[in-house]
Amino acid sequence: MNIYIENLPEILKKYFEILSPEFPEFLNEYIHTPEMQKQSKISVTSGTIYSKMFDEIWYSSLDHSVAVALIVWNFTKDKKQTLSGLFHDIATPVFKHCIDFMNGDHEKQESTEELTTQIIQNSKEIMALLNRDGIKLEEVCDYHIYPIADNETPQLSADRLEYTLSNGLGVREKIWDLDTIKEIYQDIEVQENEEGIQELGFKHKELAEKFVRTMSKLSCIYVGNETKYSMQLIADIVKKMYEQKLVTKKDLYTLGEKEIIQKIENCPIGNVANCFKKWEEATQIKESDELIKDKYCVDIKVKQRYIVPLVEEGNQFIRIDKISESAKQDINDFLNYKPKKYAYLDFNL
């Protein structure tokens, strides 16, 4: 019995079956190692799920990692690449990219990835499994070496595909259903891009357009003021607590989010606990073109997450924006999307 799969909500079981009708059994023991199980206590939405501003379903960093592994397996049937997909977020701390914000890495959001090798290497359970399976650490600790698993924006990879599909399923916003996901996913194949490198792409222009339409809506959410404000607030709260030794770096990598939230709610420093509670209860953000004094008011430039997938056209693989005006417009709408400069709520941290 696959305990992890059995405990998933029904909608996620069906979603995972779309990603890979065959669940690769070798993943089970890796999923149940302490380092991977810790990821089950972290939401992929970088903490936004804890505020009433967002209507999101719970989807853990572990769920995302397993889903990426299933996509890689579906398209490669390669155990090493699949494990690299499973491990790609193993170094993710609580509140995910908020800790990148805390580290000053707003635009790349990669500041915690350097710990991936160290965490795998220090895991007795994972290293024992890798040794048993004849797999070297360097073959699974960096998913960037496998272009199907990961590549540069705006190309389509397993990681980028997965969070677009799941975020549109309700993790960020309910935009499409399982039938639409299945229709889109089954149109994807391994293609060759402009540089002669393997990349996931679409067989049909119409389905690439449908994918891009939803992707662009989600991309706007990722850079919206509600999201940016929430992530920066959590980052600043955790930083304050870290500086006062109320939270340690180890806590960020060993505790779950609810355990850290309990520490925030009990925080004796200044206005921290009260501000966090007001953010939790807020239903909308306030925006301004001018800095609002005496309020926790932020202006942040963040990573632009978007995809310009390949599509088969004749005997070639071409970027969708080169052959579709609607897709080009959707992509440009996102790239030109500019929310108001400042976001704030009625408190001062």
Side-chain angles (χ1 to χ4, degrees):
M1 178 186 290
N2 188 326
I3 298 172
Y4 166 73
I5 293 293
E6 287 298 314
N7 289 332
L8 286 175
E10 199 61 34
I11 191 170
L12 294 187
K13 288 180 186 176
K14 291 177 179 177
Y15 170 56
F16 282 10
E17 285 172 6
I18 292 170
L19 301 183
S20 180
E22 169 210 0
F23 191 94
E25 291 300 320
F26 71 87
L27 282 180
N28 284 330
E29 290 179 277
Y30 289 97
I31 289 170
H32 288 95
T33 58
E35 291 75 17
M36 289 306 305
Q37 285 297 304
K38 191 264 174 182
Q39 295 298 312
S40 68
K41 300 177 181 180
I42 299 169
S43 168
V44 294
T45 60
S46 299
T48 58
I49 194 171
Y50 302 110
S51 171
K52 291 180 180 177
M53 280 190 281
F54 304 89
D55 182 18
E56 302 171 345
I57 64 171
W58 174 262
Y59 194 66
S60 73
S61 180
L62 176 62
D63 298 331
H64 165 65
S65 298
V66 172
V68 170
L70 292 178
I71 293 173
V72 176
W73 178 255
N74 184 68
F75 289 106
T76 71
K77 294 297 185 287
D78 184 285
K79 188 178 286 190
K80 295 170 186 176
Q81 293 188 52
T82 301
L83 285 171
S84 77
L86 181 71
F87 294 147
H88 82 280
D89 273 347
I90 199 169
T92 295
V94 291
F95 307 122
K96 209 167 170 68
H97 294 301
C98 293
I99 306 306
D100 290 320
F101 276 36
M102 189 178 89
N103 295 336
D105 179 24
H106 296 78
E107 295 191 56
K108 288 189 176 181
Q109 297 179 15
E110 297 173 347
S111 69
T112 62
E113 288 185 8
E114 62 191 35
L115 294 172
T116 300
T117 301
Q118 182 182 325
I119 288 173
I120 296 173
Q121 196 169 31
N122 290 343
S123 168
K124 293 179 181 177
E125 291 86 349
I126 293 176
M127 290 306 298
L129 291 171
L130 291 175
N131 289 333
R132 182 200 66 191
D133 294 339
I135 298 172
K136 297 176 183 176
L137 173 64
E138 57 268 26
E139 293 176 312
V140 296
C141 67
D142 181 9
Y143 81 137
H144 300 298
I145 66 175
Y146 301 117
I148 296 300
D150 184 59
N151 49 32
E152 294 296 322
T153 300
Q155 299 172 75
L156 183 61
S157 64
D159 182 26
R160 218 162 279 125
L161 173 61
E162 197 295 308
Y163 68 63
T164 304
L165 295 178
S166 57
N167 282 339
L169 187 59
V171 173
R172 290 305 302 258
E173 188 163 310
K174 180 69 174 172
I175 301 176
W176 47 26
D177 57 21
L178 288 169
D179 288 339
T180 306
I181 286 177
K182 186 174 183 178
E183 178 188 34
I184 287 169
Y185 188 70
Q186 291 185 344
D187 197 63
I188 295 172
E189 64 182 1
V190 177
Q191 299 177 351
E192 190 174 288
N193 66 21
E194 307 90 334
E195 298 175 357
I197 297 171
Q198 284 191 331
E199 181 182 336
L200 298 178
F202 287 85
K203 300 172 191 173
H204 298 98
K205 173 183 165 185
E206 295 76 18
L207 287 168
E209 290 172 330
K210 185 181 284 193
F211 175 80
V212 166
R213 196 169 305 125
T214 292
M215 177 278 300
S216 64
K217 292 175 185 176
L218 293 168
S219 295
C220 290
I221 294 172
Y222 304 151
V223 300
N225 275 329
E226 293 88 352
T227 302
K228 293 191 294 184
Y229 183 90
S230 299
M231 292 172 68
Q232 189 62 57
L233 174 65
I234 293 172
D236 286 342
I237 285 174
V238 173
K239 186 175 182 179
K240 276 179 178 284
M241 295 179 68
Y242 176 76
E243 290 171 347
Q244 295 296 318
K245 297 182 170 52
L246 297 173
V247 170
T248 66
K249 185 174 181 180
K250 183 180 178 183
D251 289 338
L252 303 181
Y253 289 91
T254 57
L255 299 182
E257 285 176 352
K258 291 183 179 177
E259 293 168 290
I260 297 292
I261 287 173
Q262 194 169 35
K263 288 179 179 285
I264 294 171
E265 291 171 342
N266 296 325
C267 179
I269 304 171
N271 205 24
V272 167
N274 188 43
C275 289
F276 188 79
K277 184 168 181 57
K278 286 185 176 180
W279 169 77
E280 284 181 306
E281 295 297 321
T283 56
Q284 63 183 35
I285 202 74
K286 297 187 177 185
E287 299 175 291
S288 171
D289 289 321
E290 305 292 332
L291 176 65
I292 305 299
K293 295 181 180 179
D294 301 319
K295 302 290 182 189
Y296 180 74
C297 183
V298 300
D299 166 31
I300 313 154
K301 185 177 180 183
V302 296
K303 181 177 183 177
Q304 287 190 308
R305 297 177 181 272
Y306 70 106
I307 304 162
V308 185
L310 294 170
V311 64
E312 192 172 343
E313 182 77 358
N315 294 320
Q316 301 179 74
F317 302 124
I318 302 172
R319 295 288 163 194
I320 187 64
D321 61 338
K322 298 291 190 284
I323 59 171
S324 167
E325 282 302 316
S326 68
K328 183 177 181 179
Q329 185 63 53
D330 287 334
I331 292 163
N332 285 337
D333 284 348
F334 162 65
L335 293 174
N336 293 320
Y337 172 68
K338 286 183 173 57
K340 288 198 174 182
K341 184 173 175 62
Y342 292 99
Y344 68 99
L345 288 173
D346 287 328
F347 58 74
N348 196 350
L349 186 60

